[in-house]
Amino acid sequence: MEKTVMDIICSSFDTFFDSEKKIAKYIINHYDKVVDMTVGELAVASGASEASVSRFCKKVGVKGFHHLKISLAKEMVDSNMNDVEISHRISIDDISHSLQNILANKIEELKQTVSMMNEIQLRDVLKIIQNAHRVEFVAIGNTLPVAIDGAFKFTQIGISSSCSQIWEAQMGSIYNLGKNDVVIAISNSGESNGVILALEAAHEVGATTISITNNENSSVAKVSDYHITTATREKLFLDGYCFSRVSATTVVEILYLFLTSMIDDSYKSIARHENAIAGDKV
C-alpha cells in the first residue's frame, strides 16, 4: 500500500517552499473543502499562486489539481467506510471528540507505516540484523529516545547493540565497526546532518546501514543501504514544528518482535536480563 496524499503532505511539509507550505497548511486544515474547489479558488484561499498549486501537486506525486482532489476525496471516503472520522481539531472544550481525533490519526499513522513495509526488504533487514556482530543505533534530538529503546531491546534478546546519547560518541563507535556490523539510523525528516555524517562513516568502515524516516526521498534514505518509511500525521494537529515518535517506535517494535521469534535463545536472554535487574524493582 502506498502513502496517501495526506501522509505525503505531512511527511514532506518541511521540504516545501514557503508558497507550497501555505497550500499544504490550507489543505491540512480544510481538506474537506478542497475537493470542491477550483485551482484558482485554492490559490486565493491559501494565499499562493495557481502556478504554485501546480508545482505543489507534482511535489506530492499527483499529475495535477484534479488528481489531487480525487485522491483527497477517496481518502475521505475510505475513512468514512472504516467508521473513523479523521479530523485535525483538538480543543479542551471538547475533550471527548478531541481524544477520538487523536486516536483516529494515530491509528492511521500505524496503519500506513505497516502497509508501506516491503516484505522482501523487511526479510533481508531482519536477517542482516540477526547475523550482525554489533548494531549501533544513531539518532539526534527527538529521535534519540527511540534509538536508545531500540538498543535496549536488541541487547535484551542477545544482539550486541548500543546507542550513546552523545553524537560524537556515536561517531566513535561507528568507526570501530566492520563489514559484519549494522548501523540503524532514525530521523524524523531524514535531513539531519549529523545522522548523514554517521551513515557516511558507516559506509567508510563497510558496515550495513538501515534508516527509518518519514521521507523515502530524504538525504538519510538516499545514503542508506535499506530504508523503512514511517507515516506521520502530526501536521494535522500542530501548525509549527512537531514530531511524533509513535511510528518510528512501532518499526523498532516490529523488528524486535520478529527478531525475538528468529533467535533461538532470545527468551532465555530476556529472562536472564530481567532476573539481573529484578533487584531494582519493588
Side-chain angles (χ1 to χ4, degrees):
M1 183 175 177
E2 295 181 353
K3 267 189 176 182
T4 65
V5 169
M6 190 61 74
D7 282 313
I8 294 172
I9 292 173
C10 290
S11 64
S12 304
F13 188 89
D14 293 331
T15 67
F16 293 149
F17 294 121
D18 289 341
S19 60
E20 295 166 346
K21 286 182 178 179
K22 292 179 180 178
I23 298 167
K25 285 180 181 178
Y26 188 85
I27 293 174
I28 287 170
N29 292 318
H30 308 283
Y31 59 90
D32 52 337
K33 295 180 180 179
V34 174
V35 295
D36 295 318
M37 285 183 165
T38 65
V39 63
E41 288 171 338
L42 176 58
V44 171
S46 63
S49 65
E50 291 188 22
S52 294
V53 174
S54 296
R55 287 196 299 270
F56 176 83
C57 290
K58 291 180 180 178
K59 270 202 172 180
V60 298
V62 294
K63 295 179 181 178
F65 184 61
H66 178 68
H67 289 90
L68 174 66
K69 294 198 297 181
I70 291 175
S71 297
L72 289 173
K74 183 179 182 301
E75 290 169 29
M76 289 172 60
V77 170
D78 289 344
S79 296
N80 291 333
M81 287 178 63
N82 292 323
D83 296 323
V84 178
E85 181 185 350
I86 298 179
S87 167
H88 68 279
R89 297 175 183 84
I90 299 178
S91 173
I92 195 171
D93 297 324
D94 189 356
I95 291 180
S96 177
H97 192 216
S98 296
L99 287 172
Q100 290 304 311
N101 287 339
I102 293 171
L103 176 61
N105 278 283
K106 289 303 172 184
I107 290 173
E108 193 64 24
E109 274 188 6
L110 299 184
K111 285 170 59 180
Q112 285 295 320
T113 297
V114 172
S115 68
M116 289 186 294
M117 285 187 163
N118 182 300
E119 293 183 16
I120 295 175
Q121 178 184 258
L122 180 59
R123 185 187 300 274
D124 292 340
V125 165
L126 288 166
K127 288 182 178 179
I128 288 168
I129 296 173
Q130 180 187 18
N131 296 320
H133 287 173
R134 183 166 185 79
V135 175
E136 180 72 22
F137 280 82
V138 172
I140 298 173
N142 280 305
T143 50
L144 188 56
V146 183
I148 293 173
D149 181 58
F152 180 89
K153 281 183 166 63
F154 282 22
T155 299
Q156 196 176 45
I157 58 175
I159 299 174
S160 181
S161 308
S162 63
C163 177
S164 173
Q165 297 186 47
I166 302 170
W167 175 77
E168 288 83 357
Q170 293 178 14
M171 291 292 287
S173 294
I174 289 172
Y175 277 119
N176 286 303
L177 300 179
K179 63 179 182 178
N180 294 317
D181 300 316
V182 173
V183 171
I184 299 177
I186 307 173
S187 172
N188 177 30
S189 65
E191 298 299 336
S192 170
N193 189 54
V195 174
I196 295 169
L197 289 174
L199 289 169
E200 290 174 346
H203 284 302
E204 282 185 44
V205 298
T208 301
T209 56
I210 301 165
S211 62
I212 303 169
T213 82
N214 290 336
N215 190 345
E216 65 272 21
N217 296 313
S218 64
S219 299
V220 166
K222 290 178 180 177
V223 296
S224 304
D225 296 317
Y226 299 90
H227 178 258
I228 298 174
T229 307
T230 54
T232 178
R233 292 247 162 175
E234 290 301 288
K235 287 295 181 184
L236 291 174
F237 298 127
L238 303 174
D239 195 33
Y241 174 78
C242 56
F243 173 69
S244 170
R245 299 189 184 99
V246 174
S247 296
T249 300
T250 299
V251 170
V252 171
E253 289 277 352
I254 288 170
L255 296 176
Y256 167 77
L257 290 170
F258 270 112
L259 289 165
T260 300
S261 71
M262 294 164 63
I263 298 173
D264 292 336
D265 295 328
S266 61
Y267 292 105
K268 290 183 180 179
S269 295
I270 294 171
R272 182 176 57 205
H273 181 257
E274 288 295 324
N275 289 332
I277 64 176
D280 291 333
K281 298 180 180 179
V282 177

